[in-house]
């Protein structure tokens, strides 16, 4: 019988109100969209047995992020790079020779099916991630995937389910969690150095806007850029968020104004409501002429902690006209987060060697995507959006076949428009926006992840 999962915090249930995958390492038992019990599905047995010594790793993608991860893996004592792929084979060959990888190919499936590969690092374009994750799961290979897991919510859920059914680990590469600066802020919170968090502030500003060709099809500023800050707010606050208010504008590159949705924004601000009135402020902008601006601050009941930007050196200049750093902050994210990329690869290898949980799970990637989608919805509709609104439109006929119910989504959007104005003022957080009804109690079976719509009790 279906039960309310007590071990999950209430807002986790609110974030994922449709989840219902009763999962064991080799089976699935749940309900279909008609509410009838489904037959048990048995996954193909995995032939993967973790060997003694370093983990055999395959890398998909020899672009700039793939090379960064390959460099990190080459210096990781728990990893042994075996093969790298890239559609342009010459790039794979060049990367392989530079880091002494014995094999290269133009076919990602040769990486996934290589007999010496125990885990796959997916560093390909985002649109390929979900299918490659599913293929890794089918082959019994653990997965390290650059964010996002997929470009939409249904595919993200399918990819996570595929890994759970196959009993392979999935890590979402949200590298800022492994940056020493942000990690130290988290440590100060968990060690109660600053007391209980009250307000978090995060800013992300790029040195220069990307070209139009990049912004078009990127998913917009919330999914492409602010998703790191959204996830970081959740990581630092240590609780599940409840609602979000977002605003976006085009302030820098007027050429992108013609693009749809959040792709037309190069500047955005966000407020996130956490339990007990705690909240986080985020501002992002695609241009900061003074360099790559990445800072965090958390005010607690006993004190405050903040980070500064990273500089190429610590030299400072003192003259009668200037006092300050000799050089500007790093102007490229790979320079700024080089150590974080190394640390996240090392962390996942350690989890594989010691059979520990993934240090940044597939669910963490799913939550980050839900937060980004909610931010875009808030900016478009000019209201507070409860995170529980986002997964409610996802329906799965089985764990690996999910889709958006657009009729339901349209109906909910019309309903929110009809209610606009009548529920503003005192009902909204900070006196603005629409506040939904009482939180629903969601029926979820323990240990789960999938997206069957269940009736609220």
């Amino acid at each position: 019988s279906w039960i309310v999962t007590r071990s999950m915090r209430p807002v986790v249930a609110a974030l994922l109100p449709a989840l219902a995958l009763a999962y064991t390492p080799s089976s699935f038992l749940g309900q279909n969209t008609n509410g009838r019990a489904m037959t048990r599905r048995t996954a193909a047995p995995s032939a993967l047995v973790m060997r003694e010594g370093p983990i055999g790793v395959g890398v998909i993608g020899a672009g700039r992020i793939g090379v960064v991860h390959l460099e990190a893996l080459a210096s990781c004592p728990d990893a042994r790079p075996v093969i790298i792929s890239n559609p342009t084979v010459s790039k794979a060959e060049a990367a392989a020779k530079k880091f002494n990888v014995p094999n290269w190919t133009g076919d990602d499936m040769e990486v996934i099916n290589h007999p010496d590969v125990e885990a796959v690092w997916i560093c390909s374009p985002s649109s390929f991630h979900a299918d490659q994750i599913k293929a890794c799961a089918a082959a019994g290979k653990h997965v390290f995937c650059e964010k996002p897991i997929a470009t939409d919510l249904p595919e993200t859920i399918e990819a996570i389910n595929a890994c759970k059914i196959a009993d392979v680990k999935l890590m979402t590469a949200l590298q800022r969690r492994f940056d020493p600066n942000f990690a130290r802020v988290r440590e100060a919170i968990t060690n109660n150095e600053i007391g209980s968090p009250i307000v978090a502030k995060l800013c992300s500003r790029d040195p220069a806007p990307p070209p139009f060709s990049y912004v078009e099809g990127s998913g917009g500023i919330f999914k492409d850029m602010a998703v790191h800050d959204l996830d970081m707010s959740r990581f630092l606050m240590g609780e599940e968020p409840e609602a979000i208010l977002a605003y976006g504008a085009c302030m820098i590159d007027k050429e992108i104004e013609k693009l749809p949705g959040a792709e037309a924004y190069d500047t955005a601000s966000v407020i996130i409501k956490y339990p007990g009135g705690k909240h986080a402020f985020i501002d992002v902008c695609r241009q900061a002429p003074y360099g790559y601006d990445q800072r965090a601050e958390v005010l607690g009941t006993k004190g405050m902690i903040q980070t500064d930007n990273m500089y190429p050196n610590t030299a400072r200049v003192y003259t009668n006209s200037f006092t300050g750093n000799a050089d500007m902050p790093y102007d490229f994210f790979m320079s700024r987060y080089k150590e974080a990329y190394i640390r996240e690869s090392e962390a996942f290898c350690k989890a594989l060697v010691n059979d520990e949980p993934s240090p940044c799970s597939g669910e963490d990637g799913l939550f980050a995507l839900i937060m980004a989608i909610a931010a875009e919805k808030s900016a478009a509709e000019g209201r507070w959006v409860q995170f529980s609104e986002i997964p409610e439109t996802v329906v799965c006929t089985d764990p690996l076949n999910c889709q958006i119910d657009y009729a339901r989504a349209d109906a909910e959007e019309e309903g929110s428009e009809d209610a606009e104005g009548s529920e503003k003022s005192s009902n909204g957080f900070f006196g603005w926006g629409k506040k939904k009804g009482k939180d629903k109690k969601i029926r979820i079976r323990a240990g789960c992840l999938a997206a069957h719509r269940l009736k609220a009790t």
Side-chain angles (χ1 to χ4, degrees), residues 322-375:
F322 175 79
T323 298
N325 291 86
D327 297 298
M328 291 198 300
Y330 282 116
D331 62 357
F332 191 43
F333 73 94
M334 289 190 178
S335 302
R336 166 63 179 82
Y337 287 109
K338 183 176 181 179
E339 187 171 354
Y341 287 117
I342 295 173
R343 289 171 57 145
E344 68 176 352
S345 285
E346 290 176 343
F348 190 51
C349 288
K350 178 177 178 290
L352 295 178
V353 169
N354 299 323
D355 193 23
E356 297 171 346
S358 176
C360 186
S361 67
E363 288 89 337
D364 289 323
L366 175 61
F367 287 3
L369 177 60
I370 288 172
M371 294 177 77
I373 293 171

Side-chain angles (χ1 to χ4, degrees), residues 233-421:
S233 78
R234 177 175 171 257
F235 180 63
L236 294 179
M237 297 300 272
E239 295 190 77
E240 301 306 337
E242 297 177 340
I244 191 167
L245 178 65
Y247 174 79
C250 182
M251 304 298 295
I252 309 297
D253 183 6
K254 296 301 181 180
E255 185 182 9
I256 69 171
E257 280 189 308
K258 61 187 177 185
L259 293 175
E263 290 183 3
Y265 306 147
D266 55 27
T267 307
S269 296
V270 172
I271 307 174
I272 305 169
K273 181 177 180 287
Y274 283 88
K278 301 174 184 178
H279 47 283
F281 296 93
I282 295 171
D283 78 81
V284 294
C285 184
R286 292 198 184 273
Q287 178 173 286
Y290 52 87
Y292 199 40
D293 191 356
Q294 304 277 289
R295 287 172 288 133
E297 175 183 303
V298 179
L299 173 67
T301 54
K302 293 166 55 178
M304 184 264 287
I305 185 169
Q306 63 180 192
T307 67
D308 198 357
N309 286 314
M310 295 285 288
Y311 291 81
N313 54 66
T314 60
R316 292 175 64 84
V317 174
Y318 298 85
T319 70
N320 62 358
S321 61
F322 175 79
T323 298
N325 291 86
D327 297 298
M328 291 198 300
Y330 282 116
D331 62 357
F332 191 43
F333 73 94
M334 289 190 178
S335 302
R336 166 63 179 82
Y337 287 109
K338 183 176 181 179
E339 187 171 354
Y341 287 117
I342 295 173
R343 289 171 57 145
E344 68 176 352
S345 285
E346 290 176 343
F348 190 51
C349 288
K350 178 177 178 290
L352 295 178
V353 169
N354 299 323
D355 193 23
E356 297 171 346
S358 176
C360 186
S361 67
E363 288 89 337
D364 289 323
L366 175 61
F367 287 3
L369 177 60
I370 288 172
M371 294 177 77
I373 293 171
E376 183 172 4
K377 184 178 180 68
S378 173
E381 299 179 7
R383 66 178 181 91
W384 280 93
V385 171
Q386 304 290 320
F387 289 111
S388 59
E389 296 178 43
I390 304 306
E392 289 176 348
T393 57
V394 178
V395 173
C396 293
T397 54
D398 66 63
L400 303 182
N401 289 282
C402 303
Q403 63 182 0
I404 296 290
D405 182 348
Y406 288 101
R408 180 184 173 101
D410 291 342
E412 289 185 350
E413 185 172 344
E414 289 175 4
S416 70
E417 290 174 355
D418 292 341
E420 198 80 26

Side-chain angles (χ1 to χ4, degrees), residues 193-258:
E193 293 178 50
I194 62 167
S196 177
I198 299 171
V199 178
K201 294 181 180 179
L202 297 153
C203 85
S204 287
R205 300 165 189 166
D206 289 347
F212 180 90
S213 59
Y214 173 87
V215 178
E216 186 177 24
S218 68
I221 197 167
F222 299 113
K223 292 179 184 176
D224 173 58
M225 186 177 177
V227 64
H228 287 287
D229 304 278
L230 295 167
D231 173 70
M232 184 52 57
S233 78
R234 177 175 171 257
F235 180 63
L236 294 179
M237 297 300 272
E239 295 190 77
E240 301 306 337
E242 297 177 340
I244 191 167
L245 178 65
Y247 174 79
C250 182
M251 304 298 295
I252 309 297
D253 183 6
K254 296 301 181 180
E255 185 182 9
I256 69 171
E257 280 189 308
K258 61 187 177 185

